[in-house]
Structures are given as structure tokens and as C-alpha cells.
Amino acid sequence: MKRSHGLALFSSTLVLCAAASVPAPAAQPGDPPANIAKIGTVVVIFAENRAFDNLYGHFPGAEGIDQASKESLQQRDRDGSVLSELPPVWDGLTAKGVTPPVTQAMTEHLPNAPFTVNDPKGFNVPLSVATHDLWHRYYQNQMQINGGKNDMFVAWADSGAMPMSNWDASKTDMWAVAQKYVLADHFFMGGFGGSFFNHQWLICACAPYYADADKNPAKPSISVTDDGGTALKLADNSPKSVRDGIPKFVSDGNLTPDFYAVNTMQPPYQPSGNDPAPGGDPLLADPSKPTTLPPQTEPTIGDMLSLKQVSWAWYSGAWQYTLDHGNHTPIPNFQYHHQPFNYYANYAPGTEARREHLRDAGLAGVSFIQAIDDGALPQVSFYKPQGNLNEHSGYADIQAGDRHIADVISHLEKSPQWPHMLVVVAYDENGGIWDHVAPPKGDRWGPGTRIPAIIVSPFAKHGYVDQTPYDTTSILRFITERFELPVLHGIVVRDRAVAAHGEPPLGDLTGGLDLN
Amino acid sequence: MDVDRVVALVTAGGIELTDRRRNAKGDGWSLSFANGATVEVGDDGSARVAGKGARAVARLLDLPSATRAS
């Protein structure tokens, strides 16, 4: 595998070089990369909850577990001492109902190191089995990263050894896709924590806000942090050592002390986890419920695309099924908080924007795949697989989602729109799982832990590992540059913060493309 | 059933806890989860599951949905 050494400025440099030999107006800093208009269709596929090392830690040519220092492989206890061994996975490694189970007792005395779940000489759990979920929350993620040392993932988890788990994914369909195209090995989640927050970062590069939360039902959900504001305040009865159990906090809520929503809140519109108010509008969620987020008004990438009359859609698996029939488990297991536009007033029920842009992908993505086959995708598409196909720990396995996404890719490769297409497959966040690479220092909200991302396109540098630093907002950077959109405020703040820390700038995905 | 035990079992199944507070009577806890389920856990060990995602949560707790159990 080849490796890139280019940074985000690489594409701008290309523009400047080209300008020296071609009689054309000289490119200016901030101009879109040369030939970016060759991309006419952008497709973003957003899977769930895997750290880079969890799936691609042994990918040839990538910065994986094999490149990690000994220090970065070891986990520390809450007092900073190195653990003599990992605690067991409390309640067992496999999800409820899995037979044969991997019980808590079977996970006792694991060495203080990463372990491979499907190791034939170890637990030998196949990729088709769902495993124990882990905390993946805003403050815990920062506490686990511990300033970039990544040595407190076990200490600030609720699942014992589970954060140190990884998989041999070398036989998966998406591994083959990554080998064929581009694996980005320095792609970080845009925000710390969980899916709710990182879906917001995908569309808005912003933290949702709950005005006057201290005067509303959400008041008990306001977190209590330490003086630094980046960690939760420990409760007096919190176990001192990870060997003694799950940490306890004074208040581990969904809101920051200044009322930003950083952990899972429910959409204000149906489909929402919260029912309508008794006698209220059946299209809304009960606003008096403490977990109902008020409608949001920050500009989103959708607003920017509409402003420039660029066609776009958010395709959600099982969206219409859930509206019509309610949700069901284990299939489709629709996830309300994975639908970020459903939190925004601009896409409220009854609006033309909702009808046009929030589309049903069908069960197992069948309607989305039909649009692919028909060459009917808008210029920008986001695709969110339904719950059982998203690879989330606890309720989904890796294999089903991996095969589904690879199948979508195979349809995209055969689509009439393929010759001008860019596809980005990214995970929304790490799912509480350890990764050994320090995230770039950014702003208050992120970036968080490293996640897998695969760039697929006829313009992709085939068989390539792209080292360019990216985060979730890099997807927005590409869309913004390609369609010459106004830049979302959160991207400006993120870029300034990264620069202020002396970090290389975050890229726009063109490091993985050859557009010449 | 202890409230911490309820939280541990449900969240291990991939269903995130979204709210936890003492109930209005002060005799137990009200829990909300990301799939829409609510669980009322009494200090006496009783548990009652309701809401949109009740069936999935009840299965994780080995409880019937929308019924009370100890």
C-alpha cells in the first residue's frame, strides 16, 4: 500500500503549480481544488460506532495497532497507575441471547493490552455476533483520550475490558473495498462522544442548544463538570479503582452546564422516541418530556446546499416503515437520534423542505438502491442504514452492516452517475472503543477518537492509504468547496482552533483523489 | 431490581440511557432510553417498562413490557 504525505494544503499547492504552466487566472488561497468540478455526485454513508483500530488496526500500510508504542497500548487505573491486567467485561462480552455466550468469568485476567474478539485462539466470536455495548459519551470520551495518551479508555468505561477489543476484519467485504480504493487512516470523529452529537456535526458542525434548560424539564440533565470543564465531577461514592466497578458522577447528563446538548436527546418531530403530547399534534414529540430537544435553528449543510440550489437528500433506512408501522426490533431497529435533520425547524413536518430532502431509503435501503440504479441520486446524498445494519455494538453485528454497505457500494459502482461520483463511507464515532492515535487538538467540541473512513470514486487513488488529517467536518469541507457554499461557522472555528494549536490543517478529502 | 443493574443491562444491549431522575413520589427512579422506553424502578426493587421501545428493553431485563415485576 502506498502512503500519502500530503496535507490539506496539498491540493492548493497543485492549483498554484498548475497556474504557473497554464495561462489561466492564478488560484487564490481558499480556492476549491483544481478540477473538483469533476465530481458531480457526492454520497456519504454513515455507519456506527467503530474506532479505526477496532476494524482496520492491521490494515497493510496504515497506522494501526502494530505501529503503536508499548505505552499507548497500556491502560491506566483511575489514580494513574498502570493496570496489572484488564478488568473483566462486566456481564459478559457477547450480547444477550447469544449462544454460546462469552461470560464475564471467561474474560477474567486478560493482559493489559488490546485483544482480538474473533481470534481463533481466543474468544473466537465471529463477526456475525453482536457484542456488549460501551459508554460513548461526550465527557467520558475526553476523559478516556486523556490529552492524547488514550490510556484511560478502560478507566472511564462502563464495560470493563471491552474498550480494548478489536476484530480481524481482513475478510470483510469493506476491507476489500478499502484495498481497492482509499483508506483514510487519520480520520477523526468531529465531536467527542456519541452518535447524536456526531450526526449533528455531520450536518451542522455545531452543538445543538437548549435555551433556558435550567428552567425546563431538562434541568436534571445538566451535567456537573470539574473546574476544567472537560471532565465530569466524580461522585463521592465512585469506586476508586476500575477493578471495583463503573465510575459514578455527580451528574452525567445530556447537556453541558451552559445548555448545549452533547448526549442523546430526542427529535422534536416524529419519528421520535418520545410520543406526542396527550391530545397534542401527532406529528410532534411531547415538548414537556425532559429528553425532547426544542427545534434547532442553526444553519446546516442542507440549508447551504438549498441556498445554492444544489439538489440533496438525507436517505434514512426504515424511515417510512417506522412512521407507518412503528419501530420493531431486532429488525429494522430504527434509531431516532440518527436522523439529524429531524431536529431542525427548517425541516419540520409539513414543510416543503422536509418533503423534498428527508427521504425514505426503504427497508434495507431498497429505495435508496433503486435511486442509485436509476441514476436518480441528487447531487449530494447522505445514507443512514437502519439499526440492524449499522454495526453498532449491543444490538447489531459487524458482518451484516459491512455486507450491506459493500452491496450499496457495488450498486454505486454500476450506477449511471458513477463516472462523476465521490463516495465517503465513515463511521459516526468510536462507540467507546480505544484507538491509539492522539486526535488533533481542536476546539471545545472535538475532534474525538480516530474512526475508519473509506473514499470510493473513479477518481480515488486506487490501493492507497491517505494519511491526511481529516475529521467529520472534512466531508462538509469537500461539499462546501465543490458547490461553492457559504462556510458553516463551526468549520471556521474548528480550522482556527486547529491552527492555533499548531496542528496541520484538516483536509477536504481531495488527498485521496487524483482529479487530474 | 437495582437501578444501576437495570441501566447496566439495558445499555449493554446498545440502548443508551437518556435520562435518570428520582420520581415525583420519591420512592424510586425514572429512567428513559434512546429507543423511547421508560423504566420505573422502585426502591423496593420493582420495575415497570413502558413507552415505544418497551418490548426490547423488557427482553433485556427479562420482564414483561408494561407490567410490574420485582
Side-chain angles (χ1 to χ4, degrees):
Chain A
M1 286 285 164
K2 295 167 283 188
R3 297 177 66 94
S4 84
H5 298 281
L7 301 174
L9 292 176
F10 176 72
S11 52
S12 299
T13 306
L14 274 182
V15 174
L16 291 168
C17 292
S21 56
V22 177
Q28 300 297 314
D31 279 356
N35 298 321
I36 194 171
K38 287 183 177 177
I39 302 296
T41 305
V42 179
V43 178
V44 181
I45 300 174
F46 221 35
E48 283 286 313
N49 289 39
R50 299 288 161 186
F52 185 91
D53 281 335
N54 185 249
L55 292 183
Y56 293 92
H58 299 291
F59 193 88
E63 183 171 342
I65 298 171
D66 300 335
Q67 284 71 45
S69 65
K70 180 186 174 189
E71 292 73 24
S72 67
L73 295 175
Q74 289 184 325
Q75 292 295 294
R76 295 178 182 273
D77 207 344
R78 293 171 195 151
D79 64 358
S81 62
V82 175
L83 290 167
S84 58
E85 63 182 26
L86 296 178
V89 179
W90 297 312
D91 293 315
L93 186 145
T94 44
K96 183 179 176 65
V98 170
T99 52
V102 175
T103 64
Q104 176 174 321
M106 295 163 71
T107 64
E108 296 275 2
H109 309 300
L110 286 170
N112 184 0
F115 64 95
T116 302
V117 178
N118 55 343
D119 181 352
K121 297 175 183 172
F123 298 121
N124 199 23
V125 174
L127 286 155
S128 58
V129 166
T131 51
H132 193 299
D133 196 17
L134 318 80
W135 267 347
H136 38 285
R137 297 176 66 77
Y138 177 76
Y139 288 110
Q140 283 90 331
N141 187 217
Q142 296 175 75
M143 297 163 77
Q144 291 172 315
I145 291 169
N146 192 25
K149 294 192 287 288
N150 293 312
D151 56 2
M152 302 294 274
F153 269 80
V154 169
W156 301 120
D158 64 342
S159 49
M162 202 65 206
M164 300 307 291
S165 63
N166 63 72
W167 299 80
D168 175 2
S170 62
K171 303 295 191 293
T172 63
D173 293 348
M174 284 307 295
W175 183 286
V177 172
Q179 285 186 309
K180 182 178 178 182
Y181 295 103
V182 175
L183 178 67
D185 74 346
H186 280 75
F187 194 114
F188 299 84
M189 53 206 247
F192 300 113
S195 297
F196 162 79
F197 198 53
N198 276 285
H199 280 72
Q200 297 295 327
W201 272 82
L202 175 64
I203 67 154
C204 180
C206 71
Y209 189 65
Y210 195 131
D212 298 322
D214 57 340
K215 302 179 186 67
N216 280 293
K219 182 179 179 181
S221 196
I222 298 171
S223 299
V224 176
T225 63
D226 66 5
D227 292 341
T230 58
L232 293 167
K233 187 174 183 180
L234 279 174
D236 291 339
N237 63 344
S238 182
K240 302 298 182 197
S241 169
V242 69
R243 292 185 295 271
D244 300 324
I246 299 170
K248 296 178 185 291
F249 304 107
V250 173
S251 179
D252 177 14
N254 300 331
L255 307 176
T256 64
D258 52 350
F259 312 155
Y260 288 96
V262 291
N263 289 315
T264 301
M265 298 285 285
Q266 295 288 351
Y269 313 120
Q270 301 299 334
S272 171
N274 289 341
D275 286 321
D281 188 334
L283 300 177
L284 308 182
D286 185 346
S288 71
K289 295 285 187 186
T291 54
T292 300
L293 188 68
Q296 298 295 296
T297 55
E298 277 286 306
T300 66
I301 194 69
D303 298 334
M304 299 298 110
L305 288 163
S306 294
L307 186 69
K308 297 296 290 280
Q309 297 181 310
V310 178
S311 60
W312 68 276
W314 177 277
Y315 287 91
S316 177
W319 172 265
Q320 195 61 46
Y321 175 91
T322 303
L323 284 168
D324 292 345
H325 306 290
N327 201 4
H328 293 92
T329 55
I331 300 171
N333 204 0
F334 181 84
Q335 300 293 310
Y336 307 106
H337 60 295
H338 295 176
Q339 320 302 329
F341 287 105
N342 202 30
Y343 291 83
Y344 286 80
N346 280 353
Y347 305 96
T351 61
E352 177 62 19
R354 185 183 185 92
R355 188 197 64 75
E356 182 176 352
H357 300 298
L358 306 196
R359 297 186 189 172
D360 176 37
L363 287 174
V366 65
S367 301
F368 178 58
I369 290 171
Q370 187 64 57
I372 294 169
D373 294 346
D374 292 345
L377 292 177
Q379 288 163 286
V380 177
S381 300
F382 299 91
Y383 173 50
K384 187 67 200 179
Q386 65 196 40
N388 66 301
L389 299 174
N390 70 17
E391 305 184 42
H392 192 294
S393 296
Y395 62 73
D397 63 77
I398 294 168
Q399 181 173 282
D402 184 275
R403 287 181 174 174
H404 172 62
I405 293 171
D407 180 52
V408 171
I409 296 290
S410 73
H411 281 270
L412 288 166
E413 289 175 318
K414 295 189 280 283
S415 167
Q417 294 169 284
W418 170 251
H420 303 286
M421 187 178 287
L422 169 67
V423 184
V424 186
V425 180
Y427 289 74
D428 68 332
E429 41 109 348
N430 69 323
I433 303 168
W434 169 87
D435 185 89
H436 82 277
V437 174
K441 290 184 172 61
D443 53 51
R444 173 184 179 181
W445 310 115
T449 299
R450 190 174 59 145
I451 51 176
I454 301 169
I455 298 169
V456 178
S457 171
F459 299 103
K461 297 174 181 173
H462 290 241
Y464 188 71
V465 175
D466 184 2
Q467 277 190 292
T468 309
Y470 298 122
D471 76 354
T472 309
T473 63
S474 294
I475 298 169
L476 301 180
R477 282 187 188 82
F478 183 89
I479 294 170
T480 299
E481 291 174 358
R482 166 59 186 87
F483 298 106
E484 301 180 22
L485 309 179
V487 181
L488 292 167
H489 180 65
I491 296 177
V492 176
V493 172
R494 175 62 49 88
D495 287 344
R496 287 176 182 165
V498 167
H501 286 294
E503 300 272 2
L506 298 169
D508 58 7
L509 306 182
T510 55
L513 303 178
D514 181 0
L515 292 164
N516 294 312
Chain B
M1 190 175 289
D2 171 71
V3 64
D4 288 334
R5 188 79 190 128
V6 170
V7 172
L9 290 173
V10 177
T11 56
I15 304 173
E16 188 181 348
L17 179 72
T18 54
D19 194 62
R20 169 181 175 154
R21 63 185 66 196
R22 292 293 289 175
N23 65 22
K25 288 184 178 177
D27 62 357
W29 294 89
S30 293
L31 306 176
S32 298
F33 292 93
N35 71 344
T38 59
V39 184
E40 298 292 330
V41 186
D43 293 335
D44 61 359
S46 63
R48 183 177 185 278
V49 188
K52 278 186 175 174
R55 186 172 296 181
V57 167
R59 188 185 72 83
L60 292 166
L61 298 175
D62 291 323
L63 292 174
S65 58
T67 57
R68 191 173 291 274
S70 295

